[in-house]
PDB file of all heavy atoms in Angstrom:
ATOM      1  N   VAL B 241     -22.590  -5.462  -1.952  1.00 98.00           N
ATOM      2  CA  VAL B 241     -23.997  -5.853  -2.171  1.00 98.00           C
ATOM      3  C   VAL B 241     -24.746  -4.691  -2.811  1.00 98.00           C
ATOM      4  O   VAL B 241     -24.567  -3.543  -2.414  1.00 98.00           O
ATOM      5  CB  VAL B 241     -24.691  -6.300  -0.843  1.00 98.00           C
ATOM      6  CG1 VAL B 241     -24.654  -5.210   0.215  1.00 98.00           C
ATOM      7  CG2 VAL B 241     -26.140  -6.754  -1.098  1.00 98.00           C
ATOM      8  N   GLY B 242     -25.536  -5.002  -3.799  1.00 98.00           N
ATOM      9  CA  GLY B 242     -26.429  -4.000  -4.377  1.00 98.00           C
ATOM     10  C   GLY B 242     -27.849  -4.354  -3.961  1.00 98.00           C
ATOM     11  O   GLY B 242     -28.235  -5.520  -3.979  1.00 98.00           O
ATOM     12  N   VAL B 243     -28.614  -3.348  -3.531  1.00 98.00           N
ATOM     13  CA  VAL B 243     -29.980  -3.627  -3.083  1.00 98.00           C
ATOM     14  C   VAL B 243     -30.895  -2.456  -3.468  1.00 98.00           C
ATOM     15  O   VAL B 243     -30.488  -1.292  -3.427  1.00 98.00           O
ATOM     16  CB  VAL B 243     -30.031  -3.875  -1.543  1.00 98.00           C
ATOM     17  CG1 VAL B 243     -29.533  -2.661  -0.753  1.00 98.00           C
ATOM     18  CG2 VAL B 243     -31.437  -4.263  -1.091  1.00 98.00           C
ATOM     19  N   GLU B 244     -32.113  -2.796  -3.854  1.00 98.00           N
ATOM     20  CA  GLU B 244     -33.104  -1.756  -4.123  1.00 98.00           C
ATOM     21  C   GLU B 244     -34.482  -2.354  -3.854  1.00 98.00           C
ATOM     22  O   GLU B 244     -34.743  -3.498  -4.192  1.00 98.00           O
ATOM     23  CB  GLU B 244     -32.993  -1.290  -5.576  1.00 98.00           C
ATOM     24  CG  GLU B 244     -33.474   0.135  -5.814  1.00 98.00           C
ATOM     25  CD  GLU B 244     -32.480   1.208  -5.315  1.00 98.00           C
ATOM     26  OE1 GLU B 244     -31.389   1.358  -5.884  1.00 98.00           O
ATOM     27  OE2 GLU B 244     -32.852   1.922  -4.366  1.00 98.00           O
ATOM     28  N   LYS B 245     -35.338  -1.536  -3.240  1.00 97.00           N
ATOM     29  CA  LYS B 245     -36.712  -1.962  -2.958  1.00 97.00           C
ATOM     30  C   LYS B 245     -37.618  -0.896  -3.512  1.00 97.00           C
ATOM     31  O   LYS B 245     -37.755   0.168  -2.925  1.00 97.00           O
ATOM     32  CB  LYS B 245     -36.881  -2.161  -1.462  1.00 97.00           C
ATOM     33  CG  LYS B 245     -38.242  -2.685  -1.081  1.00 97.00           C
ATOM     34  CD  LYS B 245     -38.172  -3.571   0.153  1.00 97.00           C
ATOM     35  CE  LYS B 245     -39.568  -4.015   0.588  1.00 97.00           C
ATOM     36  NZ  LYS B 245     -40.263  -4.753  -0.497  1.00 97.00           N
ATOM     37  N   MET B 246     -38.266  -1.161  -4.643  1.00 97.00           N
ATOM     38  CA  MET B 246     -38.966  -0.124  -5.400  1.00 97.00           C
ATOM     39  C   MET B 246     -40.452  -0.345  -5.501  1.00 97.00           C
ATOM     40  O   MET B 246     -41.188   0.606  -5.800  1.00 97.00           O
ATOM     41  CB  MET B 246     -38.399  -0.062  -6.826  1.00 97.00           C
ATOM     42  CG  MET B 246     -36.873   0.029  -6.877  1.00 97.00           C
ATOM     43  SD  MET B 246     -36.191  -0.162  -8.556  1.00 97.00           S
ATOM     44  CE  MET B 246     -36.524   1.467  -9.239  1.00 97.00           C
ATOM     45  N   THR B 247     -40.935  -1.571  -5.293  1.00 96.00           N
ATOM     46  CA  THR B 247     -42.333  -1.825  -5.674  1.00 96.00           C
ATOM     47  C   THR B 247     -43.339  -1.550  -4.584  1.00 96.00           C
ATOM     48  O   THR B 247     -44.543  -1.706  -4.784  1.00 96.00           O
ATOM     49  CB  THR B 247     -42.539  -3.282  -6.170  1.00 96.00           C
ATOM     50  OG1 THR B 247     -42.467  -4.179  -5.064  1.00 96.00           O
ATOM     51  CG2 THR B 247     -41.516  -3.681  -7.210  1.00 96.00           C
ATOM     52  N   ASP B 248     -42.883  -1.113  -3.385  1.00 93.00           N
ATOM     53  CA  ASP B 248     -43.831  -0.711  -2.343  1.00 93.00           C
ATOM     54  C   ASP B 248     -44.370   0.694  -2.589  1.00 93.00           C
ATOM     55  O   ASP B 248     -45.317   1.125  -1.927  1.00 93.00           O
ATOM     56  CB  ASP B 248     -43.140  -0.665  -0.962  1.00 93.00           C
ATOM     57  CG  ASP B 248     -42.612  -2.026  -0.539  1.00 93.00           C
ATOM     58  OD1 ASP B 248     -43.020  -3.017  -1.146  1.00 93.00           O
ATOM     59  OD2 ASP B 248     -41.783  -2.081   0.388  1.00 93.00           O
ATOM     60  N   SER B 249     -43.711   1.437  -3.494  1.00 91.00           N
ATOM     61  CA  SER B 249     -43.985   2.862  -3.645  1.00 91.00           C
ATOM     62  C   SER B 249     -44.790   3.140  -4.888  1.00 91.00           C
ATOM     63  O   SER B 249     -44.701   2.405  -5.876  1.00 91.00           O
ATOM     64  CB  SER B 249     -42.654   3.628  -3.724  1.00 91.00           C
ATOM     65  OG  SER B 249     -41.822   3.249  -2.655  1.00 91.00           O
ATOM     66  N   PRO B 250     -45.582   4.207  -4.867  1.00 91.00           N
ATOM     67  CA  PRO B 250     -46.342   4.569  -6.072  1.00 91.00           C
ATOM     68  C   PRO B 250     -45.372   4.901  -7.210  1.00 91.00           C
ATOM     69  O   PRO B 250     -44.280   5.412  -6.975  1.00 91.00           O
ATOM     70  CB  PRO B 250     -47.146   5.801  -5.634  1.00 91.00           C
ATOM     71  CG  PRO B 250     -46.510   6.278  -4.371  1.00 91.00           C
ATOM     72  CD  PRO B 250     -45.826   5.129  -3.758  1.00 91.00           C
ATOM     73  N   SER B 251     -45.796   4.630  -8.435  1.00 89.00           N
ATOM     74  CA  SER B 251     -44.873   4.789  -9.558  1.00 89.00           C
ATOM     75  C   SER B 251     -44.450   6.235  -9.777  1.00 89.00           C
ATOM     76  O   SER B 251     -43.372   6.501 -10.268  1.00 89.00           O
ATOM     77  CB  SER B 251     -45.457   4.179 -10.825  1.00 89.00           C
ATOM     78  OG  SER B 251     -46.641   4.850 -11.155  1.00 89.00           O
ATOM     79  N   SER B 252     -45.309   7.183  -9.363  1.00 89.00           N
ATOM     80  CA  SER B 252     -44.923   8.589  -9.515  1.00 89.00           C
ATOM     81  C   SER B 252     -43.699   8.879  -8.649  1.00 89.00           C
ATOM     82  O   SER B 252     -42.813   9.633  -9.036  1.00 89.00           O
ATOM     83  CB  SER B 252     -46.078   9.499  -9.107  1.00 89.00           C
ATOM     84  OG  SER B 252     -46.421   9.253  -7.752  1.00 89.00           O
ATOM     85  N   GLU B 253     -43.651   8.235  -7.469  1.00 91.00           N
ATOM     86  CA  GLU B 253     -42.520   8.462  -6.584  1.00 91.00           C
ATOM     87  C   GLU B 253     -41.243   7.845  -7.179  1.00 91.00           C
ATOM     88  O   GLU B 253     -40.160   8.420  -7.062  1.00 91.00           O
ATOM     89  CB  GLU B 253     -42.839   7.802  -5.214  1.00 91.00           C
ATOM     90  CG  GLU B 253     -42.111   8.404  -4.055  1.00 91.00           C
ATOM     91  CD  GLU B 253     -42.603   7.850  -2.727  1.00 91.00           C
ATOM     92  OE1 GLU B 253     -43.773   8.096  -2.347  1.00 91.00           O
ATOM     93  OE2 GLU B 253     -41.829   7.143  -2.083  1.00 91.00           O
TER      94      GLU B 253
END
Side-chain angles (χ1 to χ4, degrees):
Chain B
V241 59
V243 61
E244 206 76 67
K245 183 147 176 59
M246 310 171 78
T247 73
D248 298 345
S249 309
S251 61
S252 60
E253 205 173 293

